[in-house]
Amino acid sequence: EAGVAQSPRYKIIEKRQSVAFWCNPISGHATLYWYQQILGQGPKLLIQFQNNGVVDDSQLPKDRFSAERLKGVDSTLKIQPAKLEDSAVYLCASSLGTILAKPYEQYFGPGTRLTVT
Amino acid sequence: GENVEQHPSTLSVQEGDSAVIKCTYSDSASNYFPWYKQELGKRPQLIIDIRSNVGEKKDQRIAVTLNKTAKHFSLHITETQPEDSAVYFCAASNRRRILTGGGNKLTFGTGTQLKVEL
């Protein structure tokens, strides 16, 4: 089966600019996650969607980050304005989204490496 | 919230030796513990996972053990090979929260850089 797709793979912007990332989850996966992975650290969840509804956005810096999943499939993550500390890899993951389903594992996309200068 | 600690941060072993990575978690409600392998510049790949109703799981050279009482779990790699060299992350989540409308986010450890030397 096709994996989680993300674009772009790399992005370099100046601070205070805006940027958007796109994710296409595995077909049929109801749950979609955006993680931020700073160099040398483990991924940290930013936001979780179940279909097109937000389940958890407690760690999303809402003053500058936003995300949407309008039709319950693709998702976009936006940063506006970007700060130097936003430099990281942004990983999208998806899962079937039900405790009764197997697999319930989260499958990660290749990520978008963002550099803010 | 959940906090996952992982040790060691770096591990160097000789080819053929065993490697052990340990993690502890804080939330007793966590019930799902996956391990991910991440090669440089690539996505995290699930290599093995364990649920809280199981104490041990093995898949060829890889095994994971879970001690719910002590709230720690470990990854064991036997007969290590150079291609095992990577960063390994442990994680924890509560899958049951899905039933109550909550998230089942993975809380990751800080990672272990494993180097298998010839």
Side-chain angles (χ1 to χ4, degrees), chain A residues 4 9 31 33 35 37 40-43 45 48 55-56 58-59 91 97-99 104-106 108-110 113, chain B residues 32 36 38 41-44 46 49 51 89 95-99 101-111:
Chain A
V4 176
R9 293 296 312 278
T31 308
Y33 314 78
Y35 288 87
Q37 185 175 25
Q41 299 181 18
L45 181 77
Q48 176 182 346
V55 173
D56 185 350
S58 58
Q59 298 186 97
L91 294 162
T98 167
I99 192 173
Y104 38 74
E105 298 90 345
Q106 296 184 26
F108 284 84
R113 182 176 297 277
Chain B
Y32 174 61
Y36 284 84
Q38 188 174 30
K42 297 191 176 181
R43 74 188 75 191
L46 178 71
D49 57 12
R51 290 188 281 175
F89 290 98
R95 297 183 306 117
R96 278 192 293 270
R97 291 190 65 217
I98 295 175
L99 296 176
N104 66 326
K105 69 178 181 184
L106 290 172
T107 299
F108 284 84
T110 49

Side-chain angles (χ1 to χ4, degrees), chain B residues 5-57:
Chain B
E5 295 188 355
Q6 183 171 348
H7 300 280
S9 57
T10 60
L11 179 59
S12 184
V13 299
Q14 294 293 316
E15 183 180 10
D17 287 351
S18 296
V20 180
I21 303 171
K22 299 181 179 181
C23 289
T24 60
Y25 61 98
S26 61
D27 187 353
S28 57
S30 289
N31 56 16
Y32 174 61
F33 307 92
W35 286 87
Y36 284 84
K37 175 183 179 182
Q38 188 174 30
E39 297 177 42
L40 188 63
K42 297 191 176 181
R43 74 188 75 191
Q45 297 266 21
L46 178 71
I47 56 171
I48 195 168
D49 57 12
I50 191 168
R51 290 188 281 175
S52 57
N53 59 349
V54 176
E56 184 174 359
K57 184 177 178 180

Side-chain angles (χ1 to χ4, degrees), chain A residues 2-7 22-26 34 75 92 108-111, chain B residues 43:
Chain A
V4 176
Q6 288 187 249
S7 67
W22 173 83
C23 173
N24 179 244
I26 293 172
W34 283 102
S75 176
C92 179
F108 284 84
Chain B
R43 74 188 75 191

Side-chain angles (χ1 to χ4, degrees), chain A residues 40-114:
Chain A
Q41 299 181 18
K44 182 187 79 171
L45 181 77
L46 293 175
I47 190 167
Q48 176 182 346
F49 292 94
Q50 182 76 6
N51 295 308
N52 60 351
V54 175
V55 173
D56 185 350
D57 64 356
S58 58
Q59 298 186 97
L60 185 74
K62 299 179 186 64
D63 58 334
R64 298 183 301 106
F65 287 64
S66 64
E68 60 182 12
R69 194 184 184 198
L70 292 176
K71 296 183 178 179
V73 181
D74 294 2
S75 176
T76 56
L77 176 70
K78 297 179 182 178
I79 307 175
Q80 182 180 10
K83 293 185 175 181
L84 295 176
E85 57 260 38
D86 298 332
S87 294
V89 175
Y90 290 84
L91 294 162
C92 179
S94 71
S95 69
L96 277 170
T98 167
I99 192 173
L100 300 177
K102 188 172 183 179
Y104 38 74
E105 298 90 345
Q106 296 184 26
Y107 297 88
F108 284 84
T112 296
R113 182 176 297 277
L114 174 66

